[in-house]
Amino acid sequence: MNKPVMPVSSLSLKLPAGGGLIESYRLAASRTFPARLEGTLNRVAFSAAHVVADPLADVDPWLASAIDWDRTIAFREHIWDLGLGVAEAMDTAQRGMGLDWPTSLELIQRSVRAAKARGGALVFSGAGTDHLAVEDAKSIDDVIRAYEEQIVAVEKAGGRIILMASRALAKLGRNADDYARVYNRVLSQVREPVIIHWLGDMFDPALANYWGTESLDTAMDIAVGIINANAGKVDGVKVSLLDKQREIDMRRRLDPDVKMYTGDDFNYAELIAGDDRGFSHALLGIFDAIAPAASYALSRLSAGDEAGFHDVLGPTVPLSRHIFKAPTRFYKTGIVFMAYLNGHQDHFTMVGGQESTRSTLHLAELFRLADQAGLLSNPEMAARRMKAVLALRGIEA
């Protein structure tokens, strides 16, 4: 398993290379990963999962979302088969960028039902305040009530909670006391321990100065203080700051019973591997795009084969850094493009028309990097689909 199928691929296609140039690109030797988890895992690993749009629905994408529910749930089955958990209705599912709260709740309900039908597959779901328009949020109490409403809905569906960062709180919260008031109140009411999500403003500009300060050092102090004070109600913390040293510093300060879930799509391999003082678990958007490789790499790590872990996961990092490059909030386009290339959906159409957020050059480089990391499950199909997208954008095979 996971050996080159052939030394050199015979597949090639024309790709844009910048400066108006077109190059002939020959695909690398392919790699094959198991379709199901082989072995065990010694890290808790979630994939934040995307939604599959319905391209035939009669809706205006900027104004309304239409979901292909069968394909969306089938993708979650794929994630669960690989031994990974699903982080549901998060920013990877275009929460706040095309997916509203009513549709998010339906997604959560369907996903939780599907997980239960499998005997309890791992799924946590996002609860936030996004049904409360930022301009309508007038007080901290408004924020608390909004959180409570979504928490009740997720728990009623039988779901576990990821407590998402709140745009309304970012607007209204002035200091540590405001944030402590919200989180202490909300955490006191949850049925089961939650995962707290600290999402940086590179993912969502509306979350600038979260925790009530411009200083990331001070924000870290505030967050750690609130989390450790509520450790019995917190399963873990997902940090999405794309700053590995801050993540390492934070995980060393957390209560021993609180997990660190890396959200660092730039440095996840070394953070998951860890050091002699600890390691991070994973809750990553990139795991949507690289799930088979991630599952296999994690199984090698659990078996004590750290070299094998890095051999598989290391080559995926350049792809992830490309997909998550600034403006980072547009990373969902690359995630869905990978799903299209690998046959998890038959079209490159996204909720909110977000397929338009990345350039043809960006998609071409994504294809190269995915190929070089051995992440194209069916290279012939991937090349054919890449050609179709390029033809639509004026580049004929």
Side-chain angles (χ1 to χ4, degrees):
M1 187 60 65
N2 195 46
K3 297 296 184 183
V5 174
M6 48 189 171
V8 179
S9 172
S10 61
L11 290 169
S12 65
L13 73 165
K14 294 178 181 178
L15 294 176
L21 300 176
I22 305 295
E23 68 172 12
S24 180
Y25 176 78
R26 184 174 295 276
L27 276 70
S30 60
R31 305 179 88 174
T32 303
F33 301 104
R36 292 178 176 271
L37 174 65
E38 296 183 353
T40 60
L41 301 181
N42 61 1
R43 304 286 191 269
V44 181
F46 288 90
S47 165
H50 77 284
V51 292
V52 181
D54 180 354
L56 302 181
D58 185 15
V59 299
D60 295 308
W62 284 21
L63 303 177
S65 58
I67 309 298
D68 182 336
W69 292 113
D70 289 343
R71 282 296 182 95
T72 294
I73 296 302
F75 187 79
R76 281 134 182 83
E77 299 279 355
H78 160 70
I79 295 296
W80 288 323
D81 283 346
L82 291 163
L84 307 178
V86 169
E88 191 56 274
M90 302 294 291
D91 47 308
T92 302
Q94 296 179 242
R95 186 81 173 263
M97 286 187 67
L99 203 70
D100 59 15
W101 166 239
T103 310
S104 298
L105 180 57
E106 182 175 359
L107 174 61
I108 291 166
Q109 292 165 339
R110 288 173 178 266
S111 191
V112 169
R113 285 198 299 269
K116 289 181 177 179
R118 292 175 63 97
L122 183 61
V123 57
F124 275 55
S125 303
T129 67
D130 48 316
H131 65 291
L132 172 65
V134 172
E135 60 271 20
D136 294 335
K138 306 301 183 185
S139 70
I140 293 297
D141 285 335
D142 289 341
V143 177
I144 292 172
R145 282 190 291 270
Y147 267 128
E148 290 172 340
E149 183 177 337
Q150 291 201 14
I151 287 169
V152 167
V154 175
E155 290 186 338
K156 183 178 179 181
R160 296 285 301 273
I161 287 168
I162 301 170
L163 201 62
M164 301 175 69
S166 165
R167 291 173 176 172
L169 182 54
K171 170 196 170 187
L172 296 170
R174 297 287 180 256
N175 50 47
D177 290 342
D178 286 340
Y179 281 81
R181 180 181 168 195
V182 172
Y183 279 90
N184 290 344
R185 172 73 175 274
V186 169
L187 290 171
S188 72
Q189 300 177 61
V190 295
R191 188 178 351 181
E192 297 178 89
V194 308
I195 297 172
I196 291 177
H197 188 188
W198 180 1
L199 190 68
D201 60 3
M202 68 288 293
F203 287 90
D204 185 347
L207 297 176
N209 303 329
Y210 209 72
W211 305 107
T213 175
E214 294 181 1
S215 166
L216 278 176
D217 291 335
T218 304
M220 184 73 72
D221 292 340
I222 295 169
V224 169
I226 291 172
I227 292 161
N228 286 348
N230 293 279
K233 291 288 190 174
V234 180
D235 170 83
V237 184
K238 168 182 163 63
V239 177
S240 299
L241 298 177
L242 304 182
D243 184 330
K244 68 178 180 180
Q245 193 55 52
R246 287 191 186 278
E247 178 178 317
I248 291 169
D249 292 344
M250 187 176 190
R251 80 183 182 203
R252 289 174 178 171
R253 296 174 62 186
L254 290 173
D255 183 285
D257 292 329
V258 176
K259 302 181 188 73
M260 170 59 74
Y261 291 97
T262 185
D264 189 336
D265 299 279
F266 285 3
N267 303 291
Y268 50 90
E270 58 187 294
L271 289 164
I272 293 168
D275 55 32
D276 58 359
R277 296 181 59 185
F279 58 83
S280 296
H281 299 276
L283 198 167
L284 290 159
I286 193 59
F287 274 16
D288 180 298
I290 68 168
S295 171
Y296 183 71
L298 290 167
S299 73
R300 298 315 308 151
L301 185 66
S302 181
D305 179 11
E306 188 166 338
F309 166 82
H310 286 293
D311 173 63
V312 174
L313 211 57
T316 71
V317 173
L319 171 69
S320 187
R321 291 181 176 178
H322 179 69
I323 288 176
F324 285 81
K325 71 186 294 186
T328 301
R329 64 188 182 277
F330 295 146
Y331 78 87
K332 296 91 167 175
T333 302
I335 296 294
V336 173
F337 192 58
M338 281 290 294
Y340 170 64
L341 292 177
N342 280 327
H344 296 293
Q345 53 195 78
D346 295 329
H347 56 84
F348 180 40
T349 305
M350 295 177 65
V351 169
Q354 291 287 312
E355 67 272 14
S356 66
T357 67
R358 293 296 200 186
S359 70
T360 305
L361 283 171
H362 180 92
L363 298 180
E365 183 63 12
L366 182 156
F367 182 89
R368 292 185 189 92
L369 292 170
D371 171 56
Q372 291 158 16
L375 297 173
L376 300 178
S377 59
N378 182 331
E380 292 85 355
M381 179 182 67
R384 186 171 63 250
R385 291 186 166 193
M386 185 75 231
K387 290 177 183 179
V389 170
L390 292 173
L392 187 64
R393 297 183 177 205
I395 302 170
E396 298 293 343

